[in-house]
Amino acid sequence: MRSKTIIFAILALLLASCSETKYVPEDRYLLDKVYVVSDRKAMGVDPKAMSQLVRQRGNSRWFSAAKIPLATYSLSGRDTTKWINRMLRSVGEAPELYDTLSTAQSVQTLQMQLQNLGYLRGTVEAVNITKGKKVRTTYLLHPREPYFIDRIDYEIHDSAVAALLNVADTTRWGLRPGMMFNADNLDNERKRITQYLVNRGYYRFNKDFITYRADSIAGVNLVNLTLVLHRYRSGQVSKLPHQQYTIGEIRYRSGNEGDSVIPLRPKLLENNTFLDSGQLYSSDDLQNTYNHFGRLGAVRYTNISFHEREDQPVLDCDIQLSTNKPSTLSFQPEGTNTAGDLGVAASLTYQNRNIFHGSENLSIVLRGAYEAIKGLEGYSNTNFQEYSLETRLNFPRFIAPFLSSGFRRRANATSEVALTYDLQDRPEFQRRVFSAVWRYKWNDQRHHDRYQIDVLDLNYISMPWISDTFRREYLDNTNSRNSILRYNYENLFIMKLGFGYTYNNGLYAVKANVETSGNLLNLASKVFSFHQNEEGQYTFLDLAYAQYVRGVFDFTRNLTFDYNNQLVFHMGFGIAYPYGNSRILPFEKRFFSGGANSVRGWSVRSLGPGRFISTDGRIDFINQTGDMKLDLNLEYRANLFWKFSGALFIDAGNIWTLREYEEQPGGQFDFSEFWNQLAVGYGLGIRLNFDYFIVRFDMGMKAVNPAYTTNEEHFPIAHPKLSRDFAFHFAVGLPF
């Protein structure tokens, strides 16, 4: 059966390959592949990057292999009056016919790029290899020797600008003798000088006022360079010096139709305006003003205009603000799927974006959910109900003492306070959670860093009722694995502090979070002799409090091959340790593996810890948790057609416990053994990109299973079995 499938797949690929030239005219060729190569290794010359300059790329390939869109187009018939033919052509991709003009233009563009990189005598040639009705084009780069700057002279035709730039101080200039003579270095210096001047009052200056003269030295690859900064020109008027401008009057205007009053406090407007009356105009101050007003939830858009006074170099500034409607009410229904149990949920949200006229954002969310639980026996009720009320208030600034006013203004910060009450009724138990949090979030607008501090995060967890069946079969049964269960079904108090950091520049993404709980309470319990319960734990408000430290680290690296193909590597690591007043981590703080964002050969919460083998699917979601987690993911992503894209992935990872628990045999971490306990999965994903969100379908298979009883279970990749090894995941958003 397997051999027949392989033969059928090979025949299908051959058929698709043979049909590629179906719609290629007799006197034309199909552009099969395009290569850009260099005849020598040259500094700054990257053939892969330069391939983006080629005008024709050939037909797209799925996963850089099969030209499925072209094959789909070729399946259509020539009669376009039939809907099936029109549909195949619209879904597919017409053949990319080789074009001599595009090739010549590509040669010219690549050669110009070589010269811009400093290879003034570089050339490019196009080499075509035809086979049947297909052609493969190779653009061969001949960079030759690069040119370098030998001497730099400056001609500043404006005495005030010359004094400001201080030509004599060469340490302040970006160009240096010995640098490569390329367009990037020259243009970067123009931008640097322009940015320097527009931040010191030169409102009308731009980089077009700066030009270069270059004289090559005969016999050597050296260039004598002269930077020329021209005086200001205005129409037919003779040359004039550049003018420094100061900021005059700053006026705030409403952009709302029929409303002349801005519904924001004057102090808020001043704190978010970085242009100061009487000070020199600055482009950075203008951008900071736009950025700070743009992050205010009450502001819809900002328009800043300048008006030059006729008799003096002063700019009067008008800041026009259009604001959003302060209050909104929204209703959002949703479907839920928890381990196969289907349900419905709905939330009602009230939001006020300007409750105190300082762009403070108040949101109140009322949510209800219902699920029909399958597979439970011995319970009078088999439904799950949840109701929650969340109130959240965000301030668009730091609300904290001991911070300088300058730092408060510069930082893009928010202060947040939130209160949440969650009520859960399951057939097995009832659970009540009250949470309160105070946190700060801020970022440096000049970098890609974001920070978060949870100053105070309180969680009061109460279990008012547990069914007799659940207590008898799990909590009070001495033969069952019950110490972890008991701890997670007791009343508990958590008071934690936390710090988070993220960095993302599009190529690298780093996320780290550290939190600790119970230390202040533990200190107070020793000083004030808090009451101890039967387990020897100190209590606060008659509740045992959790004590632990927890850290999470994520790293993602994106490698983009071209506009259609991308390789993404992800590594996630988490570790937590209970100590002092806790022997076991709270359930919400433990790690789990498997699922749409982890090792996708396993369903959520079904992997680990270590070699642990599940024996009771009804309750092992508690025991299949750990104190440490490792995820390693490699995903190849490719655009397919329309809004569809695909992914091939390999995942590895597991979770472990740091202590040995009888109810989790084989789950403790051992440095000499953990490599043998890494689970490995592989699979295929289909994604629908709707711009605002991505719908994801991932199909994973087990490859190496650390929890096994037979050799076939240990290496499913050699003995695949769909009913045992397949996992399907539906999710919104990318996994990492």
Side-chain angles (χ1 to χ4, degrees):
M1 181 66 181
R2 186 181 300 174
S3 61
K4 290 182 179 179
T5 303
I6 294 174
I7 293 173
F8 177 78
I10 293 174
L11 290 175
L13 288 174
L14 289 174
L15 179 62
S17 177
C18 292
S19 64
E20 288 179 355
T21 58
K22 177 179 178 180
Y23 287 106
V24 177
E26 288 298 326
D27 57 342
R28 301 292 298 275
Y29 292 94
L30 175 72
L31 183 60
D32 188 33
K33 286 186 177 181
V34 175
Y35 304 96
V36 178
V37 298
S38 177
D39 65 353
R40 60 189 292 268
K41 192 171 183 179
M43 183 170 56
V45 177
D46 183 0
K48 175 184 170 184
M50 293 182 67
S51 66
Q52 305 300 315
L53 302 175
V54 175
R55 300 294 182 95
Q56 281 191 298
R57 303 174 186 271
N59 288 98
S60 59
R61 299 169 182 263
W62 284 15
F63 303 107
S64 298
K67 291 184 276 191
I68 302 299
L70 174 58
T72 303
Y73 185 96
S74 300
L75 287 175
S76 67
R78 300 184 183 276
D79 186 358
T80 56
T81 61
K82 295 183 177 180
W83 71 268
I84 184 65
N85 294 331
R86 294 196 304 272
M87 186 271 291
L88 289 171
R89 292 192 179 195
S90 63
V91 172
E93 184 179 87
E96 185 70 36
L97 302 179
Y98 174 76
D99 180 54
T100 55
L101 178 60
S102 295
T103 303
Q105 291 173 336
S106 297
V107 168
Q108 185 178 7
T109 302
L110 291 171
Q111 185 165 320
M112 186 179 300
Q113 179 64 11
L114 280 180
Q115 295 170 358
N116 288 338
L117 292 172
Y119 299 88
L120 302 186
R121 301 185 185 278
T123 59
V124 179
E125 62 176 315
V127 179
N128 293 324
I129 299 177
T130 59
K131 185 177 181 181
K133 298 189 70 175
K134 297 181 181 180
V135 61
R136 294 187 177 185
T137 301
T138 300
Y139 293 93
L140 186 58
L141 311 178
H142 304 288
R144 296 191 172 89
E145 294 300 320
Y147 276 68
F148 296 89
I149 299 174
D150 183 55
R151 191 181 75 248
I152 307 172
D153 296 315
Y154 299 94
E155 292 183 10
I156 311 296
H157 298 291
D158 188 305
S159 59
V161 173
L164 186 62
L165 293 177
N166 192 4
V167 176
D169 185 4
T170 58
T171 62
R172 301 178 61 180
W173 295 83
L175 294 176
R176 301 279 190 278
M179 293 180 66
M180 282 192 67
F181 177 74
N182 61 43
D184 284 343
N185 289 335
L186 302 184
D187 197 48
N188 287 338
E189 181 67 350
R190 295 173 71 202
K191 292 177 181 177
R192 189 192 69 81
I193 295 173
T194 300
Q195 191 67 20
Y196 183 83
L197 293 176
V198 296
N199 283 326
R200 285 158 181 80
Y202 289 91
Y203 169 66
R204 296 190 178 280
F205 193 88
N206 61 71
K207 69 176 186 177
D208 292 334
F209 288 109
I210 301 173
T211 61
Y212 293 97
R213 289 199 309 267
D215 297 318
S216 59
I217 301 176
V220 292
N221 293 342
L222 296 176
V223 174
N224 289 332
L225 186 67
T226 301
L227 183 148
V228 183
L229 193 150
H230 301 274
R231 302 183 83 182
Y232 181 70
R233 295 171 183 263
S234 180
Q236 301 301 320
V237 181
S238 60
K239 298 178 181 178
L240 298 172
H242 294 279
Q243 183 66 61
Q244 274 185 309
Y245 289 84
T246 57
I247 299 297
E249 183 183 0
I250 297 177
R251 300 178 290 259
Y252 299 96
R253 304 184 185 280
S254 173
N256 298 331
E257 187 176 352
D259 188 359
S260 60
V261 179
I262 301 175
L264 294 169
R265 294 196 303 269
K267 187 66 175 177
L268 178 75
L269 300 178
E270 294 174 7
N271 287 339
N272 287 279
T273 302
F274 289 80
L275 299 163
D276 295 324
S277 295
Q279 300 297 318
L280 290 174
Y281 166 83
S282 169
S283 175
D284 284 349
D285 289 345
L286 174 62
Q287 190 58 51
N288 282 340
T289 303
Y290 269 115
N291 291 341
H292 277 69
F293 277 115
R295 69 185 181 86
L296 299 180
V299 177
R300 186 165 72 250
Y301 68 82
T302 306
N303 181 45
I304 302 176
S305 57
F306 296 96
H307 308 282
E308 183 179 351
R309 296 181 185 177
E310 294 183 0
D311 55 342
Q312 52 186 324
V314 176
L315 299 172
D316 292 325
C317 176
D318 285 339
I319 300 178
Q320 186 181 61
L321 301 174
S322 297
T323 56
N324 292 301
K325 292 181 179 179
S327 300
T328 59
L329 187 66
S330 61
F331 176 77
Q332 182 177 355
E334 59 185 278
T336 62
N337 184 346
T338 306
D341 295 330
L342 302 178
V344 294
S347 59
L348 183 66
T349 303
Y350 168 78
Q351 189 174 43
N352 189 313
R353 297 186 179 92
N354 195 26
I355 187 168
F356 303 129
H357 299 288
S359 194
E360 299 87 358
N361 191 332
L362 172 69
S363 64
I364 301 174
V365 182
L366 178 63
R367 185 178 185 274
Y370 173 86
E371 278 184 3
I373 301 177
K374 300 176 296 183
L376 284 181
E377 298 179 0
Y379 296 90
S380 59
N381 181 22
T382 58
N383 299 323
F384 167 69
Q385 300 178 52
E386 180 179 16
Y387 304 96
S388 65
L389 175 65
E390 178 188 73
T391 302
R392 190 176 300 272
L393 179 61
N394 283 294
F395 299 88
R397 57 193 176 276
F398 274 115
I399 305 295
F402 313 118
L403 295 177
S404 68
S405 58
F407 177 76
R408 292 173 191 264
R409 289 191 69 195
R410 290 193 306 270
N412 286 336
T414 59
S415 304
E416 178 183 299
V417 61
L419 298 174
T420 304
Y421 181 72
D422 186 71
L423 181 151
Q424 301 174 13
D425 287 347
R426 288 185 58 91
E428 311 98 316
F429 56 81
Q430 293 178 354
R431 194 168 186 260
R432 308 289 183 260
V433 180
F434 175 78
S435 302
V437 63
W438 176 263
R439 66 169 56 100
Y440 299 109
K441 298 178 182 179
W442 76 97
N443 67 285
D444 187 338
Q445 59 191 7
R446 295 169 296 181
H447 300 92
H448 305 282
D449 310 273
R450 293 181 178 273
Y451 307 88
Q452 175 177 313
I453 291 181
D454 294 334
V455 178
L456 188 63
D457 192 335
L458 305 178
N459 288 271
Y460 179 95
I461 303 170
S462 173
M463 304 290 297
W465 176 82
I466 298 176
S467 72
D468 293 336
T469 302
F470 186 79
R471 187 181 298 278
R472 181 177 62 255
E473 291 186 357
Y474 295 104
L475 303 186
D476 295 337
N477 187 350
T478 58
N479 295 324
S480 68
R481 300 180 297 273
N482 54 33
S483 66
I484 294 179
L485 286 172
R486 284 179 176 175
Y487 183 77
N488 286 286
Y489 291 95
E490 295 175 349
N491 297 338
L492 186 64
F493 184 76
I494 302 174
M495 185 176 76
K496 76 177 184 71
L497 309 174
F499 173 77
Y501 169 78
T502 60
Y503 174 88
N504 191 340
N505 65 0
L507 297 177
Y508 299 91
V510 176
K511 183 185 295 184
N513 182 272
V514 178
E515 65 181 65
T516 181
S517 173
N519 294 326
L520 293 177
L521 287 175
N522 191 61
L523 178 62
S525 67
K526 301 293 179 61
V527 174
F528 299 105
S529 300
F530 285 6
H531 175 264
Q532 291 180 280
N533 61 19
E534 297 177 354
E535 303 292 332
Q537 296 173 298
Y538 289 101
T539 62
F540 177 72
L541 301 177
D542 292 330
L543 293 178
Y545 58 85
Q547 192 173 6
Y548 64 86
V549 61
R550 186 178 191 267
V552 177
F553 176 82
D554 277 276
F555 172 79
T556 304
R557 174 71 166 100
N558 293 330
L559 294 172
T560 301
F561 300 123
D562 54 43
Y563 63 101
N564 271 331
N565 300 279
Q566 185 182 51
L567 184 66
V568 183
F569 168 76
H570 169 259
M571 188 275 285
F573 176 74
I575 188 168
Y577 184 72
Y579 61 94
N581 213 47
S582 296
R583 180 176 173 268
I584 301 170
L585 283 171
F587 178 72
E588 291 82 0
K589 300 301 177 181
R590 304 196 68 165
F591 298 101
F592 63 88
S593 192
N597 300 320
S598 183
V599 186
R600 283 165 283 186
W602 281 257
S603 57
V604 64
R605 298 183 186 275
S606 65
L607 173 60
R611 300 190 307 270
F612 174 79
I613 300 176
S614 172
T615 58
D616 189 343
R618 295 175 298 173
I619 204 62
D620 269 339
F621 70 92
I622 290 286
N623 289 300
Q624 294 198 259
T625 56
D627 308 321
M628 187 171 73
K629 178 179 181 178
L630 177 65
D631 276 334
L632 299 170
N633 312 91
L634 189 66
E635 183 167 287
Y636 180 76
R637 299 170 182 169
N639 292 327
L640 301 181
F641 61 91
W642 190 52
K643 295 183 180 293
F644 284 92
S645 60
L648 300 173
F649 57 82
I650 299 176
D651 303 324
N654 207 333
I655 55 173
W656 295 268
T657 62
L658 296 182
R659 295 178 176 178
E660 184 176 359
Y661 300 108
E662 294 182 2
E663 48 285 325
Q664 293 176 304
Q668 188 178 20
F669 178 80
D670 185 336
F671 188 80
S672 62
E673 287 290 327
F674 85 99
W675 287 106
N676 296 324
Q677 297 174 8
L678 285 176
V680 181
Y682 62 96
L684 170 69
I686 300 294
R687 288 85 194 272
L688 268 168
N689 189 343
F690 293 107
D691 297 330
Y692 293 104
F693 64 95
I694 295 176
V695 177
R696 174 163 56 99
F697 305 92
D698 285 343
M699 294 157 281
M701 288 286 292
K702 296 180 178 66
V704 180
N705 186 359
Y708 61 92
T709 56
T710 65
N711 189 61
E712 290 187 357
E713 292 179 349
H714 190 193
F715 297 104
I717 190 170
H719 310 281
K721 183 178 179 182
L722 282 179
S723 60
R724 179 194 64 198
D725 304 323
F726 177 76
F728 176 78
H729 307 282
F730 167 75
V732 176
L734 295 173
F736 38 80

